[in-house]
Amino acid sequence: MVRSLWSGATGMNAQQTNVDTIANNLANVNSVGYKAQVAQFKSLLYQNLQSITTTANGDPKPTTSQVGLGVRTSSINQIFTQGSLLDSASDTSFAIEGDGFFALRGEDGQIYYTRNGDFTWALAGGNRMTLTNADGLPVLDVEGRAIVTDAGYIASNLSITEDGQICYPDAQNNPQPIGIQIGTFQFNNPGGLKRVGDTLFAVTDASGRVLNENTTDGIQRSRIIQGYLEGSNVQVANEMVNLIVAQRAYEMNSKSITTSDSMLEVANNLKR
């Protein structure tokens, strides 16, 4: 009887994690560059009530009696499908079409990766400009350096090509590359990236080494689209259905605990 209490408790804990994950997805449905997560589960150990034996005649008896001991959360997987492209009035809004990531240098000096291309030009001293995200973290070029323009450029006249080249109009108003290219990077296993908040990801052993799209052969390069942002890939209808399923599973596990408690109460009252 105690087994059923613990099994129901593990189910409630697992479904609570499931609801937390779904709620986080729904909360970030409008977060630019957000990638959805999904909780995965696995059963716990099984207790043998009867092992495989033989009959009195020596014939095998290939059936066993096993009782499961519940469930636990095995992993929370990340879904890196392409989000929808959202039109933006900002000239420093960039969406990635493909598997690439932008690179940012954090305040701790570490490099982080993101699909959120909501950038802005900031003054860098000496009448120069640097490309940063909303938190002021510098965007990196294909060489892993902060993007800083020479003096004299007007931010509103800068444009970006699909391969990340930053251009400025010449005397005939034709955009010309200024020798700076926004870096895009890929991973063999993006699902192994570690989330650090603000739609930023950090490299781990599970994700594999960083693949620079500009220098790595054999990978399909991404396109950078100016004037657009990549929206969240959360599917609200699916998440609402999953939320209902998780709630019903939580209720059923709670009911199993209530039922087990009632049966224990009956057993305890037999001596009276």
Tab-separated table of all heavy atoms in Angstrom, residues 24 36 51 69 75 145 149 162 174 219 239 257:
chain	number	residue	atom	x	y	z
A	24	ASN	N	6.226	27.976	-18.572
A	24	ASN	CA	7.342	28.799	-19.034
A	24	ASN	C	7.266	29.032	-20.536
A	24	ASN	O	7.559	30.130	-21.019
A	24	ASN	CB	8.663	28.133	-18.665
A	24	ASN	CG	9.858	29.013	-18.987
A	24	ASN	OD1	9.992	30.114	-18.464
A	24	ASN	ND2	10.730	28.526	-19.862
A	36	ALA	N	11.064	26.601	-27.526
A	36	ALA	CA	10.212	25.864	-26.605
A	36	ALA	C	10.953	24.691	-25.980
A	36	ALA	O	11.954	24.196	-26.517
A	36	ALA	CB	8.959	25.373	-27.319
A	51	SER	N	9.540	-14.125	-9.161
A	51	SER	CA	10.559	-14.310	-10.191
A	51	SER	C	10.161	-15.432	-11.141
A	51	SER	O	9.249	-16.227	-10.871
A	51	SER	CB	11.918	-14.632	-9.558
A	51	SER	OG	12.306	-13.607	-8.670
A	69	LEU	N	7.590	1.489	-9.389
A	69	LEU	CA	7.744	2.370	-8.233
A	69	LEU	C	7.586	3.844	-8.588
A	69	LEU	O	8.045	4.714	-7.862
A	69	LEU	CB	9.120	2.133	-7.583
A	69	LEU	CG	9.346	0.713	-7.044
A	69	LEU	CD1	10.735	0.592	-6.446
A	69	LEU	CD2	8.295	0.360	-6.000
A	75	SER	N	14.407	14.295	-18.598
A	75	SER	CA	15.076	15.420	-19.262
A	75	SER	C	14.041	16.457	-19.655
A	75	SER	O	12.829	16.170	-19.691
A	75	SER	CB	15.840	14.953	-20.512
A	75	SER	OG	14.940	14.459	-21.486
A	145	ARG	N	35.226	39.089	-32.756
A	145	ARG	CA	35.519	40.401	-32.184
A	145	ARG	C	34.246	41.248	-32.151
A	145	ARG	O	33.340	41.048	-32.954
A	145	ARG	CB	36.590	41.115	-33.011
A	145	ARG	CG	37.925	40.371	-33.087
A	145	ARG	CD	38.852	41.009	-34.099
A	145	ARG	NE	38.271	40.998	-35.442
A	145	ARG	CZ	38.939	41.312	-36.557
A	145	ARG	NH1	40.215	41.676	-36.474
A	145	ARG	NH2	38.333	41.283	-37.715
A	149	THR	N	32.327	50.156	-35.812
A	149	THR	CA	32.544	50.837	-37.089
A	149	THR	C	33.582	51.944	-36.934
A	149	THR	O	33.914	52.362	-35.819
A	149	THR	CB	31.232	51.441	-37.601
A	149	THR	OG1	30.837	52.507	-36.716
A	149	THR	CG2	30.125	50.400	-37.650
A	162	GLU	N	22.421	39.495	-46.671
A	162	GLU	CA	21.957	38.216	-46.138
A	162	GLU	C	23.089	37.384	-45.553
A	162	GLU	O	22.840	36.508	-44.723
A	162	GLU	CB	21.246	37.417	-47.240
A	162	GLU	CG	19.901	38.009	-47.646
A	162	GLU	CD	19.154	37.129	-48.614
A	162	GLU	OE1	19.763	36.139	-49.103
A	162	GLU	OE2	17.972	37.398	-48.880
A	174	ASN	N	24.817	53.610	-53.542
A	174	ASN	CA	24.837	52.157	-53.654
A	174	ASN	C	25.532	51.564	-52.431
A	174	ASN	O	26.657	51.959	-52.112
A	174	ASN	CB	25.578	51.720	-54.924
A	174	ASN	CG	24.870	52.183	-56.176
A	174	ASN	OD1	23.652	52.123	-56.260
A	174	ASN	ND2	25.635	52.648	-57.162
A	219	ILE	N	28.506	22.781	-44.195
A	219	ILE	CA	27.274	23.123	-43.478
A	219	ILE	C	26.490	24.144	-44.304
A	219	ILE	O	27.070	24.922	-45.067
A	219	ILE	CB	27.549	23.685	-42.067
A	219	ILE	CG1	28.382	24.967	-42.138
A	219	ILE	CG2	28.237	22.646	-41.201
A	219	ILE	CD1	28.576	25.631	-40.784
A	239	GLU	N	0.406	23.701	-26.579
A	239	GLU	CA	0.763	23.872	-25.174
A	239	GLU	C	-0.482	23.833	-24.286
A	239	GLU	O	-0.434	23.289	-23.173
A	239	GLU	CB	1.498	25.194	-24.969
A	239	GLU	CG	2.842	25.284	-25.687
A	239	GLU	CD	3.851	24.269	-25.192
A	239	GLU	OE1	3.767	23.872	-24.003
A	239	GLU	OE2	4.707	23.848	-25.977
A	257	ILE	N	-3.378	8.638	-4.494
A	257	ILE	CA	-2.919	8.822	-3.111
A	257	ILE	C	-4.112	8.841	-2.162
A	257	ILE	O	-4.093	8.225	-1.085
A	257	ILE	CB	-2.100	10.121	-2.993
A	257	ILE	CG1	-0.785	9.987	-3.754
A	257	ILE	CG2	-1.824	10.453	-1.534
A	257	ILE	CD1	0.066	11.234	-3.731
